[in-house]
Amino acid sequence: MGVYSRPVMFAILSAVVILVGTMVTMFVPLMLPSTQPVSEYVKPYTAVELEGRDIYIREGCNNCHTQTVRPLVTEVARYGEYSKPEEFAYDRPFLWGSRRTGPDLNRVGGKYPDSWHYQHLYDPRSMFAKSNMPAYGWLARRPLDTSYTFKKVSVLGYGYGEDEVRKQIDDYRSKVTSPDYLAKTVRDRITPPELRGQLTEMDALVAYLQKLGRDVKRLARGSHTGGVAEASGLVRNPYEGDKKAIEEGKGLFKKYCAVCHGEDASGEIGPNLRDSKWKYGGTDADIYQSISKGRPGGMPNWDVKLGKERIWKIVSFIRSIGEK
Amino acid sequence: MEERGYEYNVVKGFAYSALFWLIIGLLVGLWIAAEMFLPQLNLTPWLAFGRLRVVHTNGLAFGFTLAAIFSCTYYILQRLTRTPLALPKLARFHLWLFNAAIALAALSLFAGMNTSKEYAELEWPLDLVVVVMWVIFAINVFATLIKRRERQMYISLWYIIAMTVTVAVLYIVNNLEVPVNLFKSYSAYAGANDANVQWWYGHNAVGFVFTVPILAMFYYFLPKSTNLPIYSHRLSIIAFWSLIFGYLWTGAHHLMLTPLPEWIQTVAIAFSIFLIAPSWGSVINGYYTMRGNWDQMRTNYLVKFFIFGITFYGLQTIQGPTQGLRTLTAFFHYTDWVVGHVHMGTMGWVTMIISASFYYMIPRIMKRELYSIKMANLHFWLILVGQLLYTVTLWIAGIQQGAMWKATNPDGSLTYSFLEVVAAMYPYWKIRFLGGVVYFVGIVVFIYNLLMTVRSPLAEQPKPEPSKA
């Protein structure tokens, strides 16, 4: 009976049958502008960020971390602005992932300071006791191999010349080895002395993580002025002097803030909150604003994550421990 | 009975290879399952979860499952064509090349040479080896089919042909990459396109490795083991063509709510729902084949494997399309639920059918009686209980995880930090590990039983092949 006794015909027919769906859903989209939008604001990775990305791939970070924020209310609250197709124009391969054993990383760039990442990669459980992330301290003990970097950016067509690549690497090395580098203390602690003057694999990985979502954030910052009313000083702390709220604020501080500001708020990765020095103002409204909207250099925004009430309680707690 | 000239050594060789890679893959699986709640087990770079998970998936999908597929294909092919393998020397080279490729694959993945694309992680030199290996296999399949002495091709051969053609297309297209050096390359596609090509591949690797060839085994070994003809030939024709037509449209259900154009996602989910029909076509065909002979569930130890296997296939093919629906994917995607889903397919359907196929095939080609039916029953119950403990635990875990990620306070702020959700998962991850251990013990019993069969004395009378089907 027909094709069931003609193996070669059968194979050809099977190929035709499987190619229909393939053409419509895979091959045609390859040619469409909607799957490969490009935008001015999205910049390719620098040479060092690219090397960091390759380490991310080598270590299989994508097996536990996604890099795509879905347009869902709680997801945007947790991670930030949802992902746009043009952000991935330079991603070969894509790293969207399929499982969130750890959190999404598409908006992690700029969320925390470099020192946070060094400490966290070195020993995740020193910051979060219940974390199950593997420790990657050994990356700080391996010098970064840049012998293929130029070839890599050429293959990817990022358009950097050999000198430009060299310069990017040198510049980044100068940045992280400078005595003024903000993460110097922790970097020196985890990097063996003979490598402190060079780029390590850890340096590159941190550079890559800090790039994730940065272009989108920069775009958003330009168009946002948010929170003027809250910051105007007309807003009063509803819990001012409320003992119960201060106690609750203490618990919240331990849970969310202590990892960077220290258990006693005297500062570690983030600044000391006990002293009377306030970079962004020390009124209740100012502190509220810093927590709610975040500050440059690694203070994340907590508005949608914690909500007004909990932030005010934390403000009350911070005020209660301050040196008068 | 024209047994003369049949090439069974390569069937045996691939069966042993499958069992070897099965043990390796499961040990790695147990290790990473333990790492989920004991992060101290990430002892060295090559023992870290990120590298090991890839060794686990590749080792079992390709080391174990593909070897079992090659073994059963070479057997079924010769039986159904009533023709010895056309190129037995080439098949022996295939066996050798396969094991070399898998060993190199494991080593390179341990070393972190990894393209990051799921189930296509191997770097380009090994991709080339895989392609050569597949061509060698395809040549033998088609040469034997052309030489065949049985005019009509039985259902299993359709599935084998479809697999041979489709895997070649999938593998080559998704692995197109530009080399930087021998150990590093970059995908030919970028961003959303790369994602779309990858999941077109990823989902169809499931379709044409974990489904199509396993159905070939099911359609051949179930009638053989029970001496019952398949219920409906017409149903199997409809199920076959609609299955292989529908599968290729569905990859993007892995990318729901991502930046991939929405229409591709919608088409994918529509075809995923459509796929329930052909999948259940085979399930119904299997159930109805047993019509009036359900007593064999008690009297014939092999039937349990086939019927439970096809049942898990049926459940899998309902759960999959359902969890892909936008509302549900928003809740379940990225949670442990999906890990549970995958493992019902692999630990339930795939392994049960391969187990029964080996139990049928190996004693016959070795001309020996199975060492112990009691042990085969023990093996069945252990892998069943182990799998259920594993999958049900992860489904519950996934529901809790999804709910905690989404929980909000009255003012709209998030109730739980990410870490609180991680901490809540530890009990589930421990039970999942336990499920894995029970399953592993079942597999050890399976392998011991087969080894003892091979080592037992020749059966007095060689087991005759039932002549039907």
Side-chain angles (χ1 to χ4, degrees):
Chain A
M1 187 183 76
V3 70
Y4 302 99
S5 52
R6 291 202 189 92
V8 177
M9 270 306 293
F10 194 98
I12 293 169
L13 189 60
S14 304
V16 171
V17 168
I18 63 143
L19 285 176
V20 181
T22 300
M23 284 294 157
V24 178
T25 62
M26 190 277 280
F27 190 73
V28 170
L30 274 184
M31 313 295 159
L32 298 178
S34 58
T35 55
Q36 45 203 337
V38 228
S39 285
E40 269 296 292
Y41 77 88
V42 180
K43 304 280 179 254
Y45 300 98
T46 66
V48 177
E49 288 160 2
L50 179 70
E51 287 296 350
R53 189 171 198 268
D54 284 346
I55 290 161
Y56 185 98
I57 292 172
R58 186 187 74 196
E59 298 314 322
C61 304
N62 56 298
N63 287 297
C64 290
H65 294 281
T66 55
Q67 285 189 21
T68 169
V69 180
R70 300 177 293 174
L72 304 169
V73 175
T74 47
E75 202 144 304
V76 171
R78 194 177 293 281
Y79 300 115
E81 183 69 14
Y82 66 85
S83 303
K84 317 286 190 294
E86 63 269 22
E87 288 178 57
F88 305 96
Y90 299 101
D91 281 20
R92 288 170 53 186
F94 79 113
L95 291 172
W96 293 353
S98 59
R99 174 76 181 87
R100 278 183 190 148
T101 303
D104 187 273
L105 298 179
N106 196 36
R107 296 284 175 261
V108 82
K111 185 174 178 182
Y112 307 112
D114 289 0
S115 48
W116 188 100
H117 286 288
Y118 281 105
Q119 180 61 33
H120 184 252
L121 286 165
Y122 176 72
D123 185 0
R125 272 161 298 286
S126 70
M127 295 170 76
F128 305 103
K130 291 277 176 83
S131 168
N132 63 349
M133 172 158 153
Y136 284 98
W138 59 275
L139 291 176
R141 298 192 288 275
R142 286 172 59 119
L144 184 69
D145 176 7
T146 53
S147 53
Y148 285 100
T149 312
F150 175 62
K151 183 131 188 244
K152 286 176 173 181
V153 298
S154 313
V155 164
L156 292 169
Y158 286 176
Y160 309 139
E162 201 158 3
D163 292 342
E164 174 66 16
V165 168
R166 194 50 32 223
K167 186 174 176 313
Q168 287 177 358
I169 295 170
D170 289 342
D171 286 354
Y172 199 75
R173 187 192 308 103
S174 313
K175 178 187 164 187
V176 297
T177 56
S178 144
D180 303 328
Y181 184 41
L182 287 170
K184 181 178 163 48
T185 322
V186 53
R187 184 180 183 274
D188 281 356
R189 183 153 46 78
I190 66 172
T191 313
E194 66 275 17
L195 290 179
R196 279 180 202 154
Q198 304 179 37
L199 283 179
T200 65
E201 294 194 338
M202 176 84 88
D203 295 325
L205 184 57
V206 171
Y208 169 63
L209 292 172
Q210 294 290 31
K211 151 83 177 177
L212 291 173
R214 206 175 50 198
D215 300 329
V216 175
K217 287 183 178 177
R218 193 181 292 135
L219 195 71
R221 209 167 295 140
S223 66
H224 262 273
T225 45
V228 176
E230 286 169 357
S232 67
L234 297 170
V235 181
R236 279 178 57 88
N237 182 353
Y239 300 111
E240 206 175 330
D242 179 336
K243 286 254 159 55
K244 197 164 155 265
I246 291 173
E247 204 46 43
E248 278 180 58
K250 189 178 178 182
L252 290 165
F253 185 90
K254 259 189 138 63
K255 199 156 124 189
Y256 294 100
C257 318
V259 63
C260 288
H261 294 282
E263 288 287 326
D264 60 351
S266 62
E268 277 172 17
I269 286 167
N272 185 343
L273 304 174
R274 303 188 79 101
D275 59 17
S276 50
K277 277 179 270 171
W278 295 99
K279 197 171 169 188
Y280 297 102
T283 68
D284 281 24
D286 292 331
I287 299 172
Y288 179 94
Q289 182 71 359
S290 295
I291 300 174
S292 175
K293 294 294 167 197
R295 295 293 183 189
M299 173 68 188
N301 65 307
W302 293 92
D303 44 2
V304 268
K305 260 187 238 170
L306 290 176
K308 277 185 190 164
E309 284 181 29
R310 287 193 286 181
I311 295 178
W312 279 124
K313 287 173 185 168
I314 295 172
V315 171
S316 306
F317 168 69
I318 293 172
R319 297 286 293 178
S320 76
I321 56 169
E323 288 157 14
K324 299 279 149 44
Chain B
M1 225 36 36
E2 48 276 91
E3 286 282 327
R4 235 156 33 103
Y6 277 40
E7 171 57 56
Y8 285 146
N9 279 328
V10 68
V11 174
K12 240 188 302 175
F14 272 116
Y16 294 158
S17 310
L19 298 177
F20 175 75
W21 295 115
L22 176 60
I23 287 286
I24 303 281
L26 289 180
L27 283 174
V28 175
L30 285 176
W31 189 270
I32 57 176
E35 282 181 341
M36 292 294 280
F37 56 88
L38 269 183
Q40 295 77 4
L41 289 175
N42 293 281
L43 290 165
T44 61
W46 55 272
L47 277 177
F49 185 95
R51 292 196 192 175
L52 275 193
R53 187 234 172 197
V54 184
V55 179
H56 168 68
T57 52
N58 280 268
L60 289 175
F62 302 124
F64 163 60
T65 312
L66 263 194
I69 290 167
F70 290 142
S71 174
C72 293
T73 298
Y74 281 139
Y75 180 81
I76 294 173
L77 190 64
Q78 297 183 87
R79 304 300 319 177
L80 284 178
T81 55
R82 292 198 292 121
T83 312
L85 215 51
L87 303 155
K89 274 192 188 144
L90 195 65
R92 282 197 285 275
F93 176 65
H94 175 208
L95 172 62
W96 178 88
L97 188 65
F98 168 83
N99 281 297
I102 297 294
L104 283 174
L107 289 177
S108 68
L109 293 174
F110 270 125
M113 293 161 204
N114 171 351
T115 65
S116 88
K117 293 174 77 165
E118 277 183 69
Y119 323 122
E121 284 97 346
L122 300 185
E123 267 301 350
W124 67 274
L126 278 171
D127 287 340
L128 293 178
V129 175
V130 171
V131 170
V132 169
M133 181 193 79
W134 198 262
V135 170
I136 287 173
F137 167 67
I139 290 172
N140 238 327
V141 168
F142 285 103
T144 309
L145 281 172
I146 287 164
K147 264 182 47 182
R148 78 193 183 288
R149 280 187 288 179
E150 177 69 50
R151 199 173 138 69
Q152 200 70 11
M153 292 191 297
Y154 176 71
I155 308 165
S156 298
L157 294 178
W158 316 341
Y159 281 100
I160 288 170
I161 293 174
M163 162 187 75
T164 311
V165 172
T166 313
V167 169
V169 176
L170 293 168
Y171 198 84
I172 292 171
V173 174
N174 187 47
N175 280 297
L176 289 181
E177 50 216 357
V178 190
V180 173
N181 57 37
L182 199 56
F183 309 113
K184 177 75 193 168
S185 64
Y186 291 115
S187 173
Y189 320 98
N193 262 334
D194 194 41
N196 195 37
V197 175
Q198 156 59 27
W199 284 110
W200 162 81
Y201 164 87
H203 189 68
N204 288 291
V206 175
F208 289 81
V209 174
F210 288 153
T211 305
V212 163
I214 311 299
L215 283 169
M217 297 177 198
F218 180 77
Y219 276 112
Y220 180 81
F221 289 110
L222 176 72
K224 278 296 200 181
S225 312
T226 55
N227 258 322
L228 299 167
I230 214 75
Y231 164 67
S232 165
H233 190 71
R234 181 175 299 175
L235 182 56
S236 47
I237 292 178
I238 297 167
F240 172 79
W241 290 109
S242 45
L243 185 85
I244 70 162
F245 175 75
Y247 238 110
L248 281 295
W249 297 73
T250 58
H253 69 206
H254 289 256
L255 296 169
M256 301 302 285
L257 301 169
T258 66
L260 190 72
E262 207 167 331
W263 70 267
I264 306 180
Q265 301 177 27
T266 306
V267 168
I269 200 63
F271 273 89
S272 302
I273 298 292
F274 164 81
L275 271 185
I276 296 175
S279 306
W280 272 78
S282 292
V283 177
I284 288 167
N285 228 342
Y287 286 164
Y288 273 66
T289 297
M290 296 311 297
R291 208 169 37 155
N293 292 281
W294 284 103
D295 60 303
Q296 286 203 31
M297 280 292 271
R298 254 181 298 114
T299 55
N300 181 346
Y301 74 99
L302 288 175
V303 174
K304 281 198 295 291
F305 286 95
F306 287 118
I307 293 303
F308 272 77
I310 199 78
T311 302
F312 286 124
Y313 173 65
L315 295 174
Q316 185 78 357
T317 52
I318 288 183
Q319 193 184 48
T322 313
Q323 76 197 22
L325 295 170
R326 273 201 179 80
T327 328
L328 295 178
T329 200
F331 187 89
F332 284 121
H333 202 197
Y334 308 129
T335 70
D336 270 313
W337 172 281
V338 182
V339 184
H341 169 70
V342 176
H343 284 83
M344 172 164 64
T346 49
M347 297 163 92
W349 155 244
V350 173
T351 318
M352 284 215 169
I353 300 300
I354 290 176
S355 297
S357 303
F358 279 17
Y359 276 144
Y360 177 89
M361 192 172 74
I362 292 189
R364 275 173 181 76
I365 62 177
M366 301 297 293
K367 302 192 167 53
R368 280 159 171 86
E369 292 290 345
L370 183 72
Y371 174 68
S372 162
I373 290 178
K374 230 180 190 169
M375 239 181 222
N377 283 324
L378 178 65
H379 155 211
F380 171 82
W381 289 110
L382 285 172
I383 65 170
L384 177 69
V385 170
Q387 182 256 123
L388 287 174
L389 190 59
Y390 184 113
T391 53
V392 174
T393 303
L394 286 193
W395 293 330
I396 298 169
I399 293 169
Q400 184 174 338
Q401 212 168 17
M404 287 178 85
W405 284 346
K406 283 189 168 305
T408 51
N409 298 315
D411 66 352
S413 59
L414 297 171
T415 311
Y416 301 103
S417 72
F418 191 88
L419 213 74
E420 285 174 291
V421 188
V422 173
M425 291 298 111
Y426 283 118
Y428 298 109
W429 289 337
K430 286 173 187 164
I431 301 172
R432 179 262 290 273
F433 176 75
L434 191 68
V437 170
V438 173
Y439 179 87
F440 182 75
V441 173
I443 293 297
V444 170
V445 172
F446 170 48
I447 293 174
Y448 179 78
N449 202 5
L450 284 180
L451 287 182
M452 293 309 283
T453 304
V454 172
R455 294 181 51 179
S456 65
L458 275 174
E460 309 252 308
Q461 271 184 321
K463 199 149 190 160
E465 285 284 342
S467 50
K468 277 186 288 181

